Structure formats: structure tokens, C-alpha cells
Amino acid sequence: DNWRLDFIDGGVLVNCASLSPNQETYSLSFTNNRAVLTVHTTPKPLVLNVHMDGTITGPPGPVTIDGVIASGYDTGLHDAYGNQMSQFQAQNSGQQVFDSGGHPVNNPSAVAGHATFSGRRATCPAINLTSKGAGVGVETMETNLLKTAFGGDTGPATPPGIRMHGIFAAPATGFSVQFFPESAILGCGPDAARAYPYTVIADGAKTVVTVSAPDHPLTLALRGDGSLDPGSGPYQVHGRVITGQDANDDFTFAPMERACNLAVLVPSKEIPTGGGTAGLAVASLGLSTPDKPLGNATLAVVSGLAGSPNPLGNHPYVLLRDSYGNAIAKGGVTVPPGASPYIFVGQACAPQPRTATCQNILAAINSSAASAVRADPSGNGTFPGVPPGTYYLMISARINNQPLVWGQAVTLHAGANSITLTADNAQPMR
């Protein structure tokens, strides 16, 4: 019936019958655990029900809408008296040409015209809309075009249905959720964060936001005061940190996980600046931490690189139980024959870190991590103790615009051990 609602950042484009799309404001409320959408049209607002099956319905019978129709075309070119000019006239009249705002135009062919509209009241059929099979909205098309023009991909599509916006946080514990159209980012403190898809449910029995984290799905109950209640108990956020760059200038990563206690989340202007426990990573086989070392063999890492700031300053250092390539393989990820595992990871994770391949890689590295430490500004740091044995470094840096990696095996004996990182004992990342 020519009905279409196209939701954009500034409102919703409404058109039906012979009307052209016309931007209106709207509001959404939850009444008796149901979503009620009010589009502020005239002469009367449209009061609609949003259903969880992707449909929107209104009251039975036709509705009357004050809208617009295309009634003409403005070339955007005018003479000194405000009379509209065609492209041909503007280019051949020999007189000064002005745009619609009265500014002089030196190149008429560069001025784009636009349709003009006039008001029109129309009677439209009863509203019964669905998102199934609907085309991409105008805002998504414009965003995707812009991303493609600058060499990026279009990214994940925004799911149809109710979307959340902004930051909700529990400052006392450091837990937060930041909502975007396509995903919700769970955070613990200022550094550990991970994005997941989410849905908003208002089915008559409950009003909740469900965040689809595979290992720990989160249900946030929407309260009357606008806060979100996730329940109680600890929640581990699977974050990551940049460890360097590969030969293609793509970032490489290491896991960084923190645990925060769940608490009521209130609207916030910023992510909490503190909160959470745990170190750089938490591995399934156990990560050695200063509070709970797994053994008595420590490894002091010393930066032998010159420079201010030091190229290794504040870098995360990870000690793996297996080589980088083997750790990835044990996680079920196959690196193509002859390919560098570092470059493979950079290519898999830097453009689209939410892909299944990238998440499997991060999980594999997380599982292999035995100990981790962040270097001081001079590039020095000491791993918490691990059982004596052979381990593998996972350290990278960019030196003189050359990406280097230290991934060699180190045999640790009981007590203190040390290694000095230099350009001579590093390998180019290839």
C-alpha cells in the first residue's frame, strides 16, 4: 500500500499513498512490557505497536497524513534578481550567476539542483508493516557508500528492530555497556571491551536487552527509571590489546581479560575509569599473576633498544606455552602453507576483528598464555613465576619503521632468569 517508515538518526521518513518521504520526529515507550511507537505526524500522531517478529501495526482503518509531494525542480542557479536559470542559461548568459543562498557561482556545472515540495494531505490505508524483505534504508546506503569510497568494507548491517543508544555504566564496579546500532560493547574498566550483537525484547511478559555473548549471554532488564539491571555476580570481559604491527602495517593483538561485578547500569557520559580484576590475560590452563604465581621460575625482560621513548616502553609481553604458530594451530585455525602466522593473524583480525576466524585465534592465544606483564616506560618487565620449562615469547615492536618480533623459545630454570631484547635477536615480521 506504498507505506514505508525509514528510521534515520534525526527521526523517521514517512511516506504512504502518493506522498513523498517526509521527516518526522518519533518517540518510543514501553507500556505493560510492550513497545509503543509514536510518530508525531499531523493532524494526528500515529500510535503504533512494535512487535518482536519485526512487524509494526496500527489501529484498524485508514489514517490521514499531512505530508509533501514533489511539485517542481530548482536548478540551484539564479540571476541577480532571484530568477531561476537553467544550466544552459547560466553558462551562456554572460551575467553573474548566484546559488540559492545568494552566493556568486563561478562554475554553474558544479551546482546540483534539487526537487521542490509542497504540502499535501492524503488518506492512507491501515498500517501493517514488516521489516522482512524491506530494502536497505537511505542512511545505511549513504554510510556504506562513504565507507566504500574510502576503501573500507560496509561493516555489519544494522539489524531491524529496536536499537539502544549511549553508555550505561556501574561506576562502582567498572562494568559498562555501550550501545551502537549494530552491536553492544561490554566493558570492564577503561581497557577491556568486546562487541556482541544484541536484541531488545518487549513481548508483553518482559522488557529486556539480550547481549549474545557466546560464553556468558547477558540479559539486561529495563527498569522504570531508565536503568538496566544485569543481575549480580562476576562477569569476565574478553578484551584484547595491540602488541604491534605486521609487515602490512596491520595491528597484532594479545588477549586482555578483566572481571567486573555486575550491578545496575545507569546512563553515563563516559566509560568508567577504573574497576575490575585480573591481569593482561586469563588462560584456560591458568595464567600466572603476581598474586597467584604458578611456579618459581621468573623471567626478566630487558630492552636493549635505544630511543626515547623506548620502542618497547609500555608494551605487553606474553609468555606462551607453545610457539605462536603451534598455539594457533591447536586452536583449530589453519595458517596457509608458507604463510607467516603473524601476517595471517593481522590480515584475519585487523579489518574485521569480530569474524569467527579472528575470535578463534584470540581464544587460542589466550589458552596458550602462561604469563603476561606490561613493560615499564623503559621497556623492562618481569613475568610472574611459572613452572620451570620451555616457553615462547610473544613480543613485537616497530623499530626504524621495521616490524620486528621476538617469538623464540626460552628455557626457564627455577629462580630468576633474564633475556635482553635487541634488534639482533629479533626476526623481521614476515
Side-chain angles (χ1 to χ4, degrees):
D1 299 319
N2 294 323
W3 264 111
R4 179 178 173 91
L5 300 181
D6 189 355
F7 293 91
I8 59 177
D9 278 348
V12 57
L13 302 178
V14 180
N15 63 294
C16 67
S18 60
L19 297 177
S20 299
N22 191 36
Q23 184 169 330
E24 305 282 1
T25 60
Y26 72 91
S27 58
L28 186 73
S29 62
F30 296 100
T31 303
N32 298 323
N33 290 316
R34 296 191 182 279
V36 178
L37 169 69
T38 302
V39 182
H40 302 291
T41 53
T42 59
K44 292 183 178 180
L46 297 176
V47 180
L48 311 173
N49 294 312
V50 181
H51 307 285
M52 295 303 100
D53 60 356
T55 62
I56 296 177
T57 59
V63 296
T64 300
I65 297 287
D66 288 333
V68 297
I69 61 169
S71 57
Y73 185 80
D74 188 337
T75 64
L77 302 169
H78 303 267
D79 63 17
Y81 302 99
N83 300 312
Q84 187 174 167
M85 306 174 72
S86 68
Q87 281 279 353
F88 180 82
Q89 291 172 326
Q91 292 174 345
N92 296 281
S93 67
Q95 58 181 301
Q96 179 63 58
V97 179
F98 300 85
D99 63 17
S100 298
H103 305 102
V105 174
N106 296 322
N107 182 14
S109 61
V111 176
H114 59 86
T116 58
F117 297 88
S118 58
R120 174 69 61 87
R121 175 170 289 185
T123 299
C124 302
I127 302 173
N128 189 357
L129 308 175
T130 178
S131 61
K132 296 179 176 64
V136 174
V138 60
E139 191 162 280
T140 299
M141 286 191 291
E142 293 172 349
T143 302
N144 288 349
L145 179 64
L146 183 63
K147 290 180 179 178
T148 303
F150 283 90
D153 60 32
T154 58
T158 300
I162 302 170
R163 301 284 87 195
M164 299 288 290
H165 177 75
I167 299 170
F168 291 75
T173 71
F175 190 72
S176 65
V177 182
Q178 184 173 12
F179 291 101
F180 293 92
E182 76 285 351
S183 61
I185 298 179
L186 303 183
C188 180
D191 300 319
R194 180 75 173 272
Y196 299 101
Y198 72 94
T199 56
V200 180
I201 299 172
D203 59 6
K206 59 185 179 299
T207 301
V208 298
V209 182
T210 61
V211 182
S212 301
D215 63 327
H216 192 167
L218 197 61
T219 299
L220 309 168
L222 183 61
R223 307 204 319 182
D225 60 0
S227 62
L228 298 173
D229 187 355
S232 60
Y235 193 96
Q236 185 164 301
V237 174
H238 306 294
R240 61 177 186 163
V241 292
I242 296 174
T243 58
Q245 290 178 283
D246 61 21
N248 295 322
D249 286 336
D250 293 327
F251 289 114
T252 56
F253 303 92
M256 184 175 74
E257 305 201 359
R258 297 187 71 83
C260 279
N261 287 324
L262 298 176
V264 173
L265 303 166
V266 297
S268 174
K269 293 183 179 180
E270 60 185 15
I271 299 295
T273 57
T277 59
L280 183 67
V282 176
S284 60
L285 295 179
L287 183 83
S288 182
T289 65
D291 295 336
K292 296 181 179 180
L294 300 180
N296 63 351
T298 61
L299 175 63
V301 179
V302 179
S303 174
L305 303 173
S308 181
N310 193 280
L312 288 168
N314 299 310
H315 269 50
Y317 297 161
V318 180
L319 197 64
L320 300 177
R321 292 181 171 86
D322 213 330
S323 68
Y324 189 77
N326 286 346
I328 294 173
K330 288 182 177 179
V333 178
T334 301
V335 177
S340 162
Y342 298 101
I343 293 178
F344 173 79
V345 170
Q347 293 172 338
C349 290
Q352 297 184 13
R354 299 175 192 163
T355 63
T357 298
C358 181
Q359 298 306 321
N360 289 340
I361 290 170
L362 296 178
I365 296 299
N366 184 37
S367 179
S368 182
S371 188
V373 68
R374 187 178 293 277
D376 64 20
S378 299
N380 304 327
T382 300
F383 288 105
V386 294
T390 299
Y391 298 87
Y392 296 81
L393 297 177
M394 179 179 155
I395 302 171
S396 63
R398 198 170 188 87
I399 314 297
N400 297 326
N401 207 33
Q402 167 77 28
L404 300 179
V405 61
W406 292 265
Q408 60 263 47
V410 289
T411 300
L412 304 184
H413 304 283
N417 302 264
S418 67
I419 184 172
T420 299
L421 305 183
T422 67
D424 293 334
N425 61 11
Q427 292 183 339
M429 192 178 292
R430 59 171 182 257

